[in-house]
Amino acid sequence: GYPVERNTNNDFKDLHVMQEISRDAGRAGKFGMSGWWTHSRRGIPFLKVDYREGSEKYARQNESTLRVVGKWEKLWPRLRVHANAGYLYSDLFYRSRLDYGNGQGTDQPLSQSYINTFFGRLGAQAEPAKRLLVSGSATFYQHMVATNDAAYIPRSPDDPTGYRQARSEFSALATARYEPLER
């Protein structure tokens, strides 16, 4: 038969905080702001079983994430306009260690990543005729990532142990929906 196995590296601790406020400013429209913060510590299970006595191993990922979003919306009888803007920040830290059971061990990959994202979105929905709905939106993201791997062994002095990259994304969408008959 097969031995009974237990993977002990599945623990986690999570803390989540969320706050949302909004205000109807009358003719100026509705304004709102949302904020989320998460701090998480997770044990990552290994894909193989270690049958050695006295050996100890672990893999952990810590994550802190902050998201802040501001909103605006204005309604007219046949038109709705809305805008969102925000910021997202994530700090990811991964570490694993393998102990050979004799007091010696090795740190496996040790990596840290910082992710910053700014975004904005503008959209509108209009009803120019009865049973005809036209909508459109445009969205922009600016991502910036910095990562470092301390367990990486450089091949030369110019060989980096991580990278810094930035990327911009833009998307636009337009739709038209027509209902020829009432339901």
Side-chain angles (χ1 to χ4, degrees), residues 96-143:
S96 67
R97 177 157 178 80
L98 178 60
D99 183 354
Y100 299 120
N102 56 4
Q104 294 181 331
T106 58
D107 281 325
Q108 303 295 320
L110 172 67
S111 65
Q112 182 93 40
S113 298
Y114 301 100
I115 304 159
N116 292 281
T117 300
F118 295 93
F119 72 91
R121 179 176 183 191
L122 180 62
Q125 293 177 334
E127 189 179 359
K130 192 172 183 177
R131 294 196 283 264
L132 175 63
L133 182 67
V134 179
S135 63
S137 65
T139 307
F140 176 76
Y141 287 92
Q142 177 65 46
H143 305 283

Side-chain angles (χ1 to χ4, degrees), residues 20-92:
E20 186 169 351
I21 58 172
S22 62
R23 174 162 171 77
D24 188 345
R27 299 179 79 170
K30 294 180 182 178
F31 294 89
M33 181 163 276
S34 302
W36 302 267
W37 179 70
T38 300
H39 182 71
S40 177
R41 297 182 67 197
R42 291 186 286 275
I44 300 173
F46 287 92
L47 299 177
K48 63 181 182 175
V49 177
D50 184 1
Y51 293 106
R52 293 174 290 175
E53 291 293 326
S55 68
E56 198 173 307
K57 57 186 176 180
Y58 70 86
R60 294 214 138 344
Q61 178 173 307
N62 296 345
E63 175 183 356
S64 291
T65 299
L66 172 68
R67 293 180 175 104
V68 179
V69 179
K71 306 180 252 193
W72 171 77
E73 179 182 52
K74 176 73 173 153
L75 298 173
W76 288 275
R78 294 184 162 275
L79 177 66
R80 174 182 172 250
V81 179
H82 55 92
N84 295 0
Y87 171 70
L88 288 77
Y89 170 77
S90 288
D91 175 0
L92 299 170

Side-chain angles (χ1 to χ4, degrees), residues 134-161:
V134 179
S135 63
S137 65
T139 307
F140 176 76
Y141 287 92
Q142 177 65 46
H143 305 283
M144 294 163 285
V145 176
T147 186
N148 191 27
D149 188 353
Y152 176 73
I153 300 171
R155 292 175 293 228
S156 71
D158 298 331
D159 190 14
T161 60

